[in-house]
Amino acid sequence: MNKFERYFKYDFHSVKLEYFYLYIAIAAIVALVIVLRSESKYKLEMFFLSLYLLTGSLNVLLNFKIPGISFFEMQPIRVVYLLLLLRIIRNRLFSKTKTSLSDTVKIPWFVFALIGYILFLTISVLYTQVEKGYVTIIDSVAFIILIYGVRELKDQASYDLIGKSIVIGAIVSSVVSIIQITIDPYFLRIGDDRAAFGSLIRSNGIFNTEYFNSYYLIIAISWVLATTKRNSLKLVLVTLFALGVITSFQRMSWVILFLVLVSYLVYIQKISFEKLFFGVFLGLSFILFVSVFYYQDIMKSSLVKERLTDSVDGRQGYYSFVLNSIGDKPVLGFGDLHNEVYYENLLRITGHRERATAEEGDLHSGYFMAMFQYGIPAFICFLTFVILALLYYASLVKQGIYFMVPFMVSILFLIGNLTNTFLFLKYLAILFAIHIGIGMGIKQIQVDQLKNINHTS
């Protein structure tokens, strides 16, 4: 039996689990309907992936231990991994049409950087003898399986279904976010209940943290901008999702939302500078209006206080400690966060034992986490992987509007890892892997279509 208390950071006795299961049941029905009505060739894989995307963090309530196997827990995302792995094996070993190397798109350079990162990670984990290090290695392999499993589909209808699932999930999460900020802060809340300002609590939507919620909504905005043709519907959905991002009170997501919208307007739509300036002016005016009326509440809030001092969530102390410590183990790092160096420094910086023992939080940067845990070479490979993925999809945007979504998600992942850690099986990393796979799959579809045209002409 699961200990559901671990999924709720507030009074568990006030949680009405039946509401959560009711939503999961509704999401399963929605997933089944949109999958059956779609032209996707991969109904089974798409059902479980759609259900995963529609339920956000709520699907952790579906996790269960396999009897007799104490070290393994079955999770919805692991079902997706297994199905995609079987799809890769089936396509490669049992397909009637053999694919030659000349028919396959060249492997992007960011894949080699990713493999390099996983290689150094594996060596570090094995060398430092990290407890349960095999889990880290399995998670990294699962990340690649997710990328190539989604790419292997090479089915536009399946990719459209992924986008539709995200948009539907974002509608629900935005509505839940608005309810949480205006009516009931604990409505369908799972995970954190962090303060915003005054008596307000940051909205999580259907996710366990406010930043997963806001980043998911930004990805949904990218899908809407790329695929929705009706301008009125596009405006309504973008506005709704933007409100969900705002109610999260997560500063970095506000910055990323702004960059994504500006990138779309300037890089994709080629909007004039005058119109862009007017839009920015309106946005800044709104922020100024809110700050004037709620100045005292905002200045006393955790939203401001956590960044004014190097306190529990301070960043400068973490990064300085990593740079000062990595010289002792520059090649392979420290393996994980359960070591004396991390304990002593985090206890000094934060004064909280839970942070020092890594029971709560981390270094609040994917890049510094990679450096501290796995060494400088791993850090370089990880940074190179993220940058090259961004550049790769930036170069493909002009070849098709669908490449815009992986491009926008790459921006999100690159910037999001500056102040949060999204390595491998964190929710944003999963979304990043899915969209990398979509971009590679669409590129392969284009190559196949061009070959068919040349063959028939």
Side-chain angles (χ1 to χ4, degrees):
M1 186 67 180
N2 276 317
K3 294 181 179 179
F4 292 127
E5 292 91 338
R6 60 180 166 161
Y7 302 135
F8 300 90
K9 302 299 176 62
Y10 52 96
D11 182 15
F12 178 69
H13 299 290
S14 64
V15 176
K16 293 181 171 57
L17 285 175
E18 58 269 23
Y19 293 165
F20 292 86
Y21 285 116
L22 176 61
Y23 173 70
I24 292 174
I26 294 173
I29 294 172
V30 172
L32 182 62
V33 170
I34 62 176
V35 167
L36 292 178
R37 296 177 65 176
S38 74
E39 296 180 0
S40 172
K41 301 174 185 176
Y42 310 101
K43 305 290 187 184
L44 183 61
E45 293 92 334
M46 285 300 103
F47 169 75
F48 282 99
L49 183 53
S50 178
L51 178 61
Y52 176 78
L53 294 171
L54 286 170
T55 52
S57 299
L58 305 187
N59 61 50
V60 297
L61 299 177
L62 300 177
N63 296 354
F64 64 92
K65 291 283 187 181
I66 299 177
I69 307 179
S70 59
F71 63 87
F72 188 79
E73 184 178 62
M74 183 55 70
Q75 303 171 1
I77 190 59
R78 288 176 177 169
V79 175
V80 175
Y81 288 141
L82 292 174
L83 289 174
L84 290 177
L85 177 59
L86 291 174
R87 175 57 56 186
I88 294 173
I89 295 173
R90 191 180 303 134
N91 286 1
R92 294 298 173 183
L93 298 182
F94 304 107
S95 177
K96 294 180 180 179
T97 56
K98 299 297 181 181
T99 303
S100 64
L101 291 176
S102 60
D103 293 331
T104 305
V105 176
K106 291 182 179 179
I107 299 176
W109 284 107
F110 67 78
V111 173
F112 293 104
L114 173 61
I115 293 173
Y117 173 62
I118 293 175
L119 179 62
F120 281 108
L121 173 151
T122 302
I123 296 173
S124 173
V125 167
L126 295 177
Y127 178 78
T128 55
Q129 297 182 341
V130 172
E131 184 179 358
K132 294 185 178 180
Y134 65 88
V135 175
T136 303
I137 298 173
I138 291 174
D139 286 352
S140 63
V141 173
F143 187 83
I144 292 184
I145 290 173
L146 187 55
I147 291 175
Y148 272 89
V150 174
R151 176 218 175 268
E152 194 70 23
L153 301 178
K154 293 182 291 184
D155 180 42
Q156 186 69 60
S158 295
Y159 298 151
D160 289 340
L161 186 57
I162 291 173
K164 181 181 291 186
S165 299
I166 291 175
V167 170
I168 295 173
I171 292 173
V172 174
S173 199
S174 294
V175 172
V176 171
S177 296
I178 294 171
I179 293 174
Q180 288 174 345
I181 206 72
T182 58
I183 301 174
D184 180 4
Y186 294 99
F187 176 71
L188 281 185
R189 180 178 291 274
I190 192 169
D192 295 338
D193 59 340
R194 299 181 64 194
F197 66 88
S199 60
L200 297 180
I201 296 176
R202 305 182 190 190
S203 294
N204 290 356
I206 58 174
F207 296 88
N208 59 356
T209 69
E210 76 280 359
Y211 50 84
F212 284 158
N213 180 40
S214 56
Y215 290 157
Y216 181 91
L217 296 176
I218 293 172
I219 293 174
I221 288 175
S222 300
W223 274 103
V224 169
L225 294 176
T227 61
T228 304
K229 296 181 180 179
R230 288 171 51 195
N231 289 331
S232 57
L233 180 59
K234 183 182 296 187
L235 179 61
V236 169
L237 291 177
V238 170
T239 302
L240 176 63
F241 300 161
L243 286 175
V245 174
I246 292 171
T247 60
S248 71
F249 293 97
Q250 209 265 342
R251 292 158 300 282
M252 186 56 76
S253 67
W254 294 350
V255 173
I256 294 174
L257 174 62
F258 175 77
L259 291 176
V260 165
L261 291 177
V262 169
S263 298
Y264 171 74
L265 294 173
V266 174
Y267 193 61
I268 309 298
Q269 291 295 322
K270 311 292 185 183
I271 194 171
S272 65
F273 176 78
E274 291 79 8
K275 292 181 179 179
L276 180 63
F277 178 80
F278 180 69
V280 172
F281 175 76
L282 288 179
L284 292 176
S285 299
F286 174 76
I287 294 173
L288 180 62
F289 173 81
V290 172
S291 63
V292 167
F293 278 90
Y294 295 97
Y295 177 78
Q296 291 298 327
D297 285 336
I298 292 174
M299 292 307 295
K300 294 177 182 178
S301 69
S302 63
L303 194 70
V304 174
K305 285 185 175 180
E306 287 175 359
R307 300 304 180 257
L308 291 179
T309 61
D310 194 21
S311 60
V312 176
D313 286 326
R315 305 300 201 245
Q316 182 179 355
Y318 304 152
Y319 306 158
S320 298
F321 134 63
V322 172
L323 294 175
N324 292 333
S325 302
I326 194 60
D328 296 333
K329 295 186 177 182
V331 179
L332 297 178
F334 293 84
D336 64 2
L337 303 181
H338 300 284
N339 53 73
E340 286 298 320
V341 174
Y342 184 84
Y343 179 85
E344 292 175 0
N345 281 277
L346 264 290
L347 191 63
R348 170 181 57 83
I349 295 168
T350 68
H352 288 249
R353 185 178 180 280
E354 293 78 9
R355 297 299 303 277
T357 56
E359 294 176 24
E360 295 181 1
D362 50 40
L363 292 173
H364 287 282
S365 169
Y367 306 111
F368 280 98
M369 281 282 285
M371 180 186 294
F372 179 78
Q373 292 189 114
Y374 312 124
I376 295 175
F379 156 74
I380 294 173
C381 288
F382 179 67
L383 181 62
T384 304
F385 158 60
V386 179
I387 293 175
L388 290 181
L390 174 63
L391 295 177
Y392 178 77
Y393 287 112
S395 67
L396 292 177
V397 166
K398 296 180 181 179
Q399 297 185 22
I401 193 64
Y402 275 93
F403 290 116
M404 189 192 86
V405 184
F407 170 58
M408 296 298 186
V409 178
S410 298
I411 293 176
L412 197 159
F413 193 77
L414 172 70
I415 300 176
N417 267 292
L418 291 173
T419 56
N420 289 105
T421 304
F422 301 118
L423 303 183
F424 295 130
L425 295 194
K426 289 288 187 74
Y427 200 93
L428 181 60
I430 292 173
L431 294 179
F432 185 43
I434 289 172
H435 287 84
I436 289 178
I438 289 175
M440 293 172 67
I442 292 174
K443 181 63 177 177
Q444 186 64 57
I445 290 173
Q446 290 184 345
V447 170
D448 292 342
Q449 290 175 340
L450 183 60
K451 288 184 179 295
N452 290 335
I453 293 173
N454 293 334
H455 180 72
T456 56
S457 60

